[in-house]
Amino acid sequence: MVSDTNRDLKAFERRLTEYISCLQPATGRWRMILIVVSVCTATGAWNWLIDPETQKVSFFTSLWNHPFFTISCITLIGLFFAGIHKRVVAPSIIAARCRTVLAEYNMSCDDTGKLILKPRPHVQ
């Protein structure tokens, strides 16, 4: 009985760590995409703001005059609508949800998926 339980816990831990480690490469790529688009948007915004013509023309004309900022800003907004904010933290979301469920069994897990067994509460 104890060995079956131990075997089940080890299998669960292996599967959880495998799943979280498989998410890491994709998470890293999404983070790089977010960083690149954010830097492009910030650079474009800086150029847009320091341009003296920006204050003299209408808003839409100033955006038309700065296509780099406009395109990078639209791309950034599109990425957020597509859920990039969830994809860059996907392993943390999975680990947090597992911690919530495992708390009922006096267990937890770290961010890599390794199980943490907590001592049983003493009932008197």
Side-chain angles (χ1 to χ4, degrees):
M1 175 78 176
V2 173
S3 67
D4 288 342
T5 304
N6 191 19
R7 208 176 7 224
D8 289 343
L9 285 174
K10 289 291 185 188
F12 176 74
E13 181 182 54
R14 258 192 320 274
R15 183 67 182 118
L16 184 58
T17 55
E18 175 187 321
Y19 185 72
I20 289 175
S21 66
C22 286
L23 288 175
Q24 293 297 345
T27 300
R29 283 191 296 273
W30 283 115
R31 285 179 182 160
M32 287 305 301
I33 290 170
L34 182 61
I35 288 169
V36 167
V37 173
S38 296
V39 167
C40 288
T41 303
T43 304
W46 177 255
N47 290 331
W48 181 58
L49 290 172
I50 64 169
D51 184 12
E53 286 293 314
T54 300
Q55 297 174 356
K56 297 175 186 172
V57 296
S58 71
F59 176 71
F60 291 110
T61 305
S62 69
L63 288 178
W64 185 259
N65 292 339
H66 296 276
F68 181 72
F69 169 67
T70 306
I71 291 170
S72 61
C73 192
I74 290 169
T75 303
L76 186 64
I77 291 168
L79 286 172
F80 274 101
F81 277 126
I84 195 170
H85 58 289
K86 293 177 185 172
R87 292 178 183 169
V88 296
V89 293
S92 301
I93 292 171
I94 299 293
R97 289 179 182 168
C98 284
R99 280 188 208 102
T100 302
V101 172
L102 290 171
E104 296 179 23
Y105 302 100
N106 289 329
M107 292 188 288
S108 186
C109 66
D110 61 8
D111 287 335
T112 63
K114 294 284 185 185
L115 288 180
I116 301 168
L117 301 176
K118 296 179 180 178
R120 291 183 181 168
H122 292 77
V123 178
Q124 294 183 10

